[in-house]
Amino acid sequence: MVMKMAMGAFLALGILFLVMTVYRMQRIKRFSMMLNAVTKSSKNNHVQKLKEHHETEMVLEKENISLSYFRKLDSNSSYKIGLLLILMCGTLAANAIFQLELGRNGLVAAGVFSLVFAIVLPGLLRSMFVKRRVRTLSSEIPWLVDLLAICVQCGMTVEVSFAFLSQKMSGINPDFTPFLDRLVKRTDVSGLSSALKQFYIELPSVETRMLCAALEQSLQYGSSLYDQLVTLSRDIREVQLLATEEKIGNLGAKMSVPLILFFMFPVVIIVAAPGVMRIFSDV
């Protein structure tokens, strides 16, 4: 009886909180549309920032809805409390419907798990998604350099080449499109040098730094850009190949730990067990 009353109270609180949250969101949205007092820049100041790759997240958020949801969930305490109540109500409902017979300790463990899930998981998913996307884009920088070299060889300038690639990249690799669009717009406003610096901030990696350094050198000293880009593409692929070989070389050292735990110790026990058992039987 007490369990059913507690489950009903949790469900009522959860429903009441969701209704109040939806009503509050609609009210805030209506007032903001009427008064237009809150700008987009001021809204972004209230959002929790990642420790690294924050600029990358700001660019990717416009193209990825799930990342935007995770970002809002991680930055708003009300959303976290609502998620916690939903998880707790779901646990109590599953306990009542499927007759799991969770005791007090089981409910406490489920509450702790739900709390950790609501607090830690959104930020962890944000960070994992952004870092994985940065690694993916960095690994595909050589293809961008090859396309840029082809455009330069056809007689285009660097600025026109980036503008052409920003229009055509959606059919080749859509992930590069928002970064190239921002690069082209900044080039029109403040010049290519400043745009390349911001491009490296938004997509920080060794490959991006090498590309920006090569273009900066060409702008300052007027060297042959096509030959430089071809050499750069080859150098980046060699760096990526060396990184892959290093990971493969470290694989043997990493495999030694499970081999010792799951192979050497059982073999020692199997070999030594008959002698030990014989000694104890003689005693």
Side-chain angles (χ1 to χ4, degrees):
M1 186 66 182
V2 177
M3 184 65 69
K4 292 182 179 180
M5 292 178 62
M7 184 184 68
F10 270 112
L11 288 174
L13 287 174
I15 295 173
L16 180 62
F17 181 82
L18 288 176
V19 172
M20 291 178 62
T21 303
V22 172
Y23 175 74
R24 180 172 175 270
M25 291 174 60
Q26 293 295 330
R27 186 179 179 185
I28 292 174
K29 184 178 179 180
R30 185 166 59 252
F31 279 129
S32 62
M33 291 176 63
M34 292 174 59
L35 301 176
N36 197 16
V38 181
T39 60
K40 185 177 180 181
S41 60
S42 62
K43 288 181 182 179
N44 291 333
N45 292 332
H46 298 285
V47 178
Q48 183 180 358
K49 297 181 180 180
L50 290 175
K51 293 182 179 179
E52 57 180 351
H53 303 316
H54 172 65
E55 298 291 339
T56 309
E57 184 189 22
M58 294 293 293
V59 179
L60 295 175
E61 184 184 4
K62 300 177 181 179
E63 304 293 331
N64 193 281
I65 300 177
S66 60
L67 179 60
S68 178
Y69 287 153
F70 283 130
R71 189 166 182 259
K72 293 178 181 178
L73 183 61
D74 188 34
S75 60
N76 198 323
S77 301
S78 301
Y79 292 160
K80 291 184 178 181
I81 296 174
L83 179 60
L84 177 61
L85 290 176
I86 291 173
L87 292 175
M88 288 299 301
C89 293
T91 302
L92 294 175
N95 187 26
I97 294 173
F98 299 104
Q99 297 181 355
L100 300 178
E101 297 182 357
L102 295 175
R104 182 179 299 177
N105 295 331
L107 292 177
V108 171
V112 173
F113 178 78
S114 301
L115 181 63
V116 174
F117 184 89
I119 294 176
V120 177
L121 190 63
L124 184 62
L125 291 176
R126 284 176 61 195
S127 179
M128 290 176 58
F129 178 85
V130 175
K131 289 181 179 178
R132 185 183 64 181
R133 188 58 62 88
V134 170
R135 288 196 299 268
T136 302
L137 292 175
S138 300
S139 63
E140 295 174 354
I141 286 289
W143 304 105
L144 177 63
V145 176
D146 290 337
L147 293 174
L148 186 62
I150 293 173
C151 293
V152 171
Q153 183 69 8
C154 293
M156 300 181 184
T157 61
V158 181
E159 293 83 357
V160 176
S161 300
F162 277 122
F164 177 78
L165 290 178
S166 66
Q167 298 174 0
K168 303 298 182 181
M169 191 60 72
S170 59
I172 302 173
N173 191 342
D175 294 335
F176 275 113
T177 302
F179 296 96
L180 293 179
D181 288 340
R182 294 167 69 90
L183 176 63
V184 171
K185 292 177 181 179
R186 285 197 177 92
T187 302
D188 296 336
V189 174
S190 57
L192 183 59
S193 179
S194 177
L196 289 174
K197 293 179 182 178
Q198 188 63 31
F199 179 69
Y200 171 68
I201 293 175
E202 293 176 352
L203 191 59
S205 63
V206 178
E207 293 84 355
T208 309
R209 185 173 67 245
M210 295 173 67
L211 173 61
C212 294
L215 294 177
E216 284 282 353
Q217 183 179 0
S218 176
L219 290 175
Q220 291 181 3
Y221 302 106
S223 57
S224 177
L225 186 58
Y226 174 75
D227 297 334
Q228 206 169 14
L229 289 175
V230 172
T231 305
L232 175 64
S233 177
R234 183 173 61 251
D235 293 341
I236 292 177
R237 286 188 172 89
E238 290 179 357
V239 170
Q240 293 177 348
L241 182 60
L242 290 174
T244 305
E245 292 177 352
E246 183 179 359
K247 292 180 181 179
I248 295 174
N250 294 332
L251 188 62
K254 294 179 180 179
M255 287 296 295
S256 62
V257 176
L259 285 175
I260 292 173
L261 292 177
F262 301 107
F263 182 75
M264 191 182 73
F265 286 159
V267 168
V268 171
I269 293 173
I270 291 173
V271 172
V276 175
M277 294 176 63
R278 192 178 300 111
I279 292 173
F280 280 105
S281 62
D282 293 339
V283 175

